[in-house]
Every structure is written in structure tokens, then in C-alpha cells.
């Protein structure tokens, strides 16, 4: 019997994200799910290894579809704790402009490790800062992802509209369009993997309407279409952004998106809060995805994403933690809890369920990233799994294990598997000196603030 064949046997509970009965567990071989077993069933062929999952709730690996890894260096910074988006950004831009490759590597490792410990197996990062000396920021992030053994959609962000031309970012943080496009092509050529099991993928991600020109938006859309990669940006996050688009372009945000060739299924948008009914219908008809970022939206008082309206129109919904300066955590299971609660404020308790929100964090998020090999537990899917125990005080007296994960506030996975390999065991990241990483990262955060 092949040693690579593993049976995760009889879990306490299992969420497959597709309605399949997996109460008998999962059979894995060579990093892929080969059987999903119903209640009382056993593998068709005996397995070389059996993992007793009776104390574990099994989920598909959670998928984070919007983050800014570098922001772990500027969490809970007093000057911006009580600011909304635009002043928050203008206060932080000069600090972020001091980023170095070494600080970005530490920030990325911290974000990835924190995500991994929360049950996240795939993360999309939106990096748009390339000051002098940090031109190879995405290359730095690739190494961090490989070191942690996760999957990632690294988006080559950009800012080309500085303060001197009416944008928000300071001039030292913007790049010329040709530089942006040439580097985008290089990164796709060097790193973008296609097909099932891909570890590193690249997308193109001009930052926002208030930080890039229409020309770079349009050129990025054309390049993404020609090279068959995805597009990502912030849109409709605040009313300030809507006002900016009206004043500068004479268009509302979705009209602007359409005018630069972005309205389509290749695109997924971060936040997507301030849409009117016509815009929601257009986004749905186009198949454009929306990443809901509840913690950040609450922290910055931006508003509540109209998730169910978007879904009804045909727009896919996923979840993202957003940057660690507006969350201020990188924890996907807690993000799902926040989504459950804030969406109930908008739509009511009956319509927003733990299972529905976990679906956004898994299968929905996979759809945003254009992936069909992750995000659910089914034969042929990647063996990307998050296993949680309910043995802490917070869970005592709980009855429905799936609901308890969110309602009782699970915040750390006991085990996490990616491509059939355990990356977290007993709540610890395999091979990672976490104390050393925290010490180095803390020092880097202080140096960034001090400008040293």
C-alpha cells in the first residue's frame, strides 16, 4: 500500500463547501483529495497512514483575497488610530515610503505566518509601494511565500498619480507607466504558474482611482488580457473615493472601471461598498468579483459591502483581511466571524449563516482568484486543509461545531495542510522560529517609524 495514501478519519465535523457528505473523512494521495467519505464509509483501498480526526473540525484551507503584507510594520499606530481612509493614507504614506527589502521580507513572513496559523493556505497580496531600493518588492515576497510553504497570488500593484498631479500619494512613492508595465511583464514571465497546484501566481493591480492614471489602468487591462492573468484594485471603498472620481473623471466608480476596460470576469475588487442598484447589476452581469473586508471597513468606518445583492446579481464574493494597518490582524477565521456579524446587521440573522460565510472564505475566494483546484473538499482538489480543535474554554458548552468556530471565536488552527504536507502541527508553524521572527519584526517596525 502506498505510504503517501492518508485517511483523515471520522472528523468531529467537516465543512466541504459544496454539500458533499464528508463525515467519514478524506483520503489523500500525492497532495490531492482522492475520496470524500460519507458517514460510516471507509476508503476503497486501505491507507498506509490513518489520522484520527475525531477531535478536529475540518475546513478547506481558507483563502485570503486581499492583503498588504508590508503593513504589519505599522499596526495600531497612534496618529492614525482614529482616522478614516484618506487622512489615514496621507499620514502613513511617508512612513511606508521608507520600506526596505529587509523590512518587507520580515513584514511578509509575519503576515503569512499569522494567516497560516489562522487556517489560511492561500493569500493574495496587493503590493503597490516601490520606492528607491525596493524595485524588486514582489521578488522579496516570492521568497517569503516559498519559505512558509503557502500558495499566493502576488499582485503587482502600482501608483502613478502623485500629489503633484492631483493624486493622493507623495511623489517618492509613484512610478512611471513604462517602468510599471515592464516589471509586470517580467514578474509574469519569471513567476506566474498555471494549472492545478500552482504555488505562485501574479496579477496586475493598479492601486486605486486616486493613485493611478487612467492610462496605466487601461494598459494594465490590455496586458492582463494578452498574458491571461487577473486584475485587481481597490474600488468603491469610501464616499471620498466616489467624490474624487466624479470631480476628476466626471464618472462614478463603476463607470470609470468600465471606461478603462476593467469590467469583466478577469477582475476582482477590494471592498466594493458604495454601489447603487444599477452598478450592482452591471458588476454581476460582468462577473466581476468583490472581496469583502469587514474588519478594515469597520476600523475605517467605510461602510458595509452589499454582499447578498452582489451575489444575487451574479458577482462572486470572497473574503480578505486587508492590510494590517487597517485591520490590524492577519487572521482569516476571525475575519469570517466579522463578516458574519456585520452582514447580519445589513441583511438579518436568517440570511447570513456560518456556512454561507465560510463558503465566501473558501470556494468564493477561490473563484475570485480564478482557481478551481482549491477552496472546497472534493475528489481531485488540492489537499489544502485547516483543522481546528474545540477544546479551549471558549468552546465549552457549544453544540454545533461548525457554528462554534465563528460564534465562539476560533482564532487559531491546530493543524494546517497545504498540498498534502502539514505546515502547522499542534498550533505551531513547522520549521519557523516564531520568537526570533517576532523579535526581528518588532525591531524593524521601530526602525521604520524612526526612519533608520
Amino acid at each position: 500500500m502506498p505510504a503517501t495514501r492518508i485517511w483523515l478519519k471520522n472528523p468531529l465535523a467537516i465543512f466541504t463547501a459544496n454539500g458533499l457528505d464528508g463525515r467519514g473523512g478524506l483520503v489523500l494521495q500525492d497532495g490531492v483529495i482522492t475520496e470524500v467519505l460519507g458517514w460510516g464509509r471507509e476508503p476503497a483501498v486501505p491507507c498506509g497512514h490513518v489520522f484520527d480526526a475525531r477531535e478536529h473540525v475540518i475546513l478547506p484551507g481558507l483563502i485570503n483575497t486581499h492583503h498588504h503584507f508590508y503593513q504589519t510594520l505599522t499596526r495600531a499606530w497612534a496618529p492614525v488610530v482614529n482616522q478614516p481612509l484618506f487622512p489615514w493614507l496621507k499620514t502613513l504614506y511617508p512612513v511606508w515610503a521608507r520600506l526596505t527589502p529587509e523590512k518587507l521580507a520580515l513584514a511578509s513572513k509575519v503576515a503569512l505566518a499569522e494567516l497560516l496559523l489562522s487556517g489560511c493556505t492561500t493569500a493574495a497580496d496587493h503590493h503597490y509601494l516601490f520606492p528607491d531600493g525596493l524595485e524588486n518588492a514582489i521578488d522579496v515576497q516570492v521568497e517569503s511565500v516559498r519559505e512558509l510553504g503557502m500558495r499566493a497570488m502576488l499582485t503587482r500593484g502600482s501608483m502613478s498619480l502623485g500629489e503633484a498631479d492631483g493624486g493622493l500619494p507623495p511623489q517618492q512613492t509613484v512610478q512611471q507607466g513604462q517602468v510599471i508595465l515592464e516589471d509586470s511583464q517580467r514578474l509574469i514571465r519569471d513567476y506566474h504558474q498555471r494549472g492545478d497546484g500552482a504555488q505562485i501566481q501574479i496579477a496586475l493591480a493598479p492601486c486605486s482611482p486616486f493613485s493611478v492614471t487612467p492610462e496605466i489602468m487601461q494598459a494594465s487591462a490590455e496586458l492582463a488580457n494578452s498574458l491571461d492573468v487577473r486584475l485587481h484594485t481597490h474600488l468603491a471603498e469610501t464616499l471620498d473615493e466616489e467624490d474624487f472620481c466624479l470631480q476628476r473623471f466626471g464618472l462614478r466608480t463603476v463607470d470609470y472601471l468600465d471606461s478603462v476596460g476593467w469590467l469583466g470576469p478577469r477582475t476582482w475588487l477590494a471592498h466594493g461598498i458604495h454601489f447603487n442598484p444599477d452598478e450592482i447589476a452591471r458588476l454581476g452581469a460582468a462577473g466581476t468579483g468583490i472581496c469583502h473586508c469587514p474588519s478594515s471597513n469597520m476600523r475605517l468606518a467605510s461602510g458595509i459591502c452589499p454582499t447578498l445583492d452582489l451575489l444575487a446579481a451574479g458577482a462572486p464574493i470572497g473574503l480578505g483581511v486587508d492590510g494590517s494597518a487597517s485591520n490590524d490582524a492577519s487572521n482569516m477565521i476571525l475575519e469570517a466571524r466579522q463578516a458574519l456579524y456585520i452582514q447580519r446587521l445589513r441583511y438579518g440573522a436568517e440570511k447570513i449563516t456560518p456556512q454561507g460565510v465560510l463558503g465566501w472564505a473558501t470556494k468564493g475566494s477561490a473563484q475570485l482568484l480564478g482557481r478551481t483546484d482549491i477552496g472546497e473538499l472534493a475528489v481531485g482538489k488540492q489537499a489544502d486543509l485547516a483543522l481546528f480543535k474545540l477544546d479551549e474554554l471558549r468552546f465549552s458548552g457549544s453544540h454545533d461545531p461548525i457554528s462554534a468556530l465563528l460564534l465562539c471565536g476560533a482564532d487559531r488552527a491546530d493543524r494546517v495542510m497545504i498540498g498534502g504536507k502539514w505546515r502547522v502541527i499542534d498550533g505551531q508553524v513547522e520549521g519557523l522560529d516564531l520568537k526570533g521572527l517576532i523579535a526581528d519584526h518588532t525591531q524593524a517596525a521601530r526602525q521604520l517609524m524612526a526612519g533608520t
Side-chain angles (χ1 to χ4, degrees), residues 1-2 5-7 26-28 35 43 45-50:
M1 58 187 70
R5 194 170 167 82
I6 304 169
W7 179 17
L26 304 171
V27 179
L28 318 172
E35 290 184 78
V45 177
C47 296
H49 181 69
V50 177

Side-chain angles (χ1 to χ4, degrees), residues 105-135:
L106 286 167
S108 298
K109 287 177 193 175
V110 164
L112 288 162
E114 191 179 358
L115 287 166
L116 188 54
L117 287 168
S118 75
C120 178
T121 53
T122 300
D125 189 65
H126 188 181
H127 188 88
Y128 50 80
L129 282 161
F130 298 85
D132 289 345
L134 196 60
E135 291 83 1

Side-chain angles (χ1 to χ4, degrees), residues 65-144:
T65 57
H66 184 66
H67 205 332
H68 307 291
F69 293 165
Y70 72 89
Q71 290 183 13
T72 60
L73 293 163
T74 53
R75 298 198 239 220
W77 186 40
V80 297
V81 164
N82 302 315
Q83 290 184 332
L85 181 66
F86 273 25
W88 177 87
L89 281 170
K90 289 182 75 68
T91 307
L92 279 163
Y93 277 142
V95 177
W96 294 336
R98 299 196 288 261
L99 271 174
T100 64
E102 296 75 20
K103 289 182 176 64
L104 177 60
L106 286 167
S108 298
K109 287 177 193 175
V110 164
L112 288 162
E114 191 179 358
L115 287 166
L116 188 54
L117 287 168
S118 75
C120 178
T121 53
T122 300
D125 189 65
H126 188 181
H127 188 88
Y128 50 80
L129 282 161
F130 298 85
D132 289 345
L134 196 60
E135 291 83 1
N136 291 329
I138 306 300
D139 305 77
V140 170
Q141 292 188 310
V142 166
E143 291 308 308
S144 295

Side-chain angles (χ1 to χ4, degrees), residues 34 54 72 102 142 179 261 283 312 318 323 337 369 386 420 452:
T34 57
R54 62 183 164 182
T72 60
E102 296 75 20
V142 166
V179 172
L283 288 162
R337 185 179 200 239
L369 301 186
T452 59

Side-chain angles (χ1 to χ4, degrees), residues 294-378:
S295 294
S296 176
N297 297 163
M298 288 187 274
R299 156 76 196 271
L300 298 174
S302 301
I304 304 175
C305 177
T307 54
L308 295 191
D309 296 81
L310 287 158
L311 279 169
I317 296 290
L319 290 187
V321 299
D322 200 11
S324 291
S326 68
N327 185 313
D328 291 40
S330 308
N331 190 306
M332 270 299 289
I333 193 68
L334 284 181
E335 202 64 32
R337 185 179 200 239
Q338 296 283 55
L340 177 77
Y341 288 152
I342 195 172
Q343 289 298 319
R344 284 188 170 189
L345 283 180
R346 185 172 190 125
Y347 293 108
E350 302 90 344
K351 293 183 178 179
I352 304 293
T353 67
Q355 290 81 0
V357 171
L358 287 171
W360 296 345
T362 54
K363 192 174 182 179
S365 284
Q367 191 174 355
L368 294 197
L369 301 186
R371 298 196 65 155
T372 58
D373 61 328
I374 57 176
E376 58 181 309
L377 306 181

